[in-house]
């Protein structure tokens, strides 16, 4: 049975409890509880330049859509610039990373299946935790394997 949340306003979280993780705020729009675990959707608001390390998900596909700002993405060996309205797919087991190039920036992210991504983001790791043992342990616990550093400013010239 699905849990139907009703309308979720722009700038609001599904549970009225937005999460802060690394370089931004993550509003859950569709929860795993809403879809029997099939997917979850986050609207993310980036308030600092940056992004996650190059990583892959062992058990999940990830889809991204830029809502505001400009982003650089890497999926596999290829790099792409994305602007508002552009989207890109990150299949499971394929390394990917992104870097927002502007502030503000906003990115919609869909995880399928949802697994425990809500718990992952609720860990609330701040921007200074990206190279910590806690950061690596959290990733491994959620079947996310980091395989390289985040995209940096030098990657922006493409």
């Amino acid at each position: 049975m699905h849990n139907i949340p009703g309308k979720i306003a722009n700038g609001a979280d599904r549970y009225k409890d937005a999460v802060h993780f690394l370089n931004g705020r993550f509003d859950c729009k569709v929860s795993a509880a809403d879809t029997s675990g099939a997917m979850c959707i986050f609207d993310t608001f980036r308030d600092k330049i940056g992004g996650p390390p190059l990583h892959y998900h062992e058990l999940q596909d990830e889809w991204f859509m830029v809502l505001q700002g400009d982003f650089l993405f890497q999926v596999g060996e290829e790099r792409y610039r994305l602007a508002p309205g552009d989207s890109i797919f990150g299949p499971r087991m394929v390394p990917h990373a992104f870097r927002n190039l502007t502030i503000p920036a906003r990115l919609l992210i869909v995880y399928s299946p949802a697994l425990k991504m809500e718990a992952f983001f609720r860990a609330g790791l701040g921007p200074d935790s990206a190279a910590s043992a806690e950061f690596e342990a959290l990733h491994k616990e959620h079947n996310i394997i980091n395989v390289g550093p985040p995209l940096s400013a030098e990657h922006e010239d493409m």
Side-chain angles (χ1 to χ4, degrees):
M1 172 142 321
H2 294 280
N3 185 13
I4 301 173
K7 177 184 174 183
I8 302 166
N10 184 23
D13 178 78
R14 161 83 173 80
Y15 296 106
K16 298 174 181 56
D17 185 23
V19 171
H20 294 273
F21 189 88
L22 297 182
N23 71 327
R25 187 180 92 218
F26 287 64
D27 291 348
C28 182
K29 294 298 187 174
V30 177
S31 170
D34 301 329
T35 67
S36 299
M39 71 173 178
C40 62
I41 302 173
F42 288 91
D43 188 359
T44 70
F45 298 81
R46 309 294 166 150
D47 55 12
K48 295 176 184 61
I49 300 295
L54 185 65
H55 67 282
Y56 64 87
H57 299 257
E58 293 181 307
L59 305 172
Q60 293 170 296
D61 296 318
E62 198 170 6
W63 178 82
F64 307 89
M65 182 173 190
V66 175
L67 300 178
Q68 181 180 15
D70 294 305
F71 286 79
L72 175 65
F73 272 82
Q74 179 175 331
V75 177
E77 298 295 321
E78 298 294 320
R79 291 202 180 110
Y80 308 89
R81 282 192 180 265
L82 276 70
D86 294 340
S87 66
I88 196 163
F89 181 62
R92 67 190 75 191
M93 301 300 294
V94 176
H96 58 277
F98 63 85
R99 177 180 174 86
N100 63 296
L101 305 174
T102 57
I103 299 171
R106 189 171 169 194
L107 186 65
L108 196 65
I109 306 175
V110 178
Y111 295 93
S112 178
L115 301 178
K116 297 180 182 174
M117 287 311 294
E118 291 168 65
F120 175 82
F121 291 123
R122 290 207 179 279
L125 297 180
D128 297 330
S129 66
S132 70
E134 178 186 20
F135 183 80
E136 286 300 321
L138 180 66
H139 279 76
K140 287 181 182 173
E141 178 184 338
H142 292 277
N143 301 97
I144 301 169
I145 310 301
N146 294 322
V147 295
L151 296 175
S152 66
E154 60 206 33
H155 294 116
E156 294 176 24
D157 297 327
M158 50 172 284

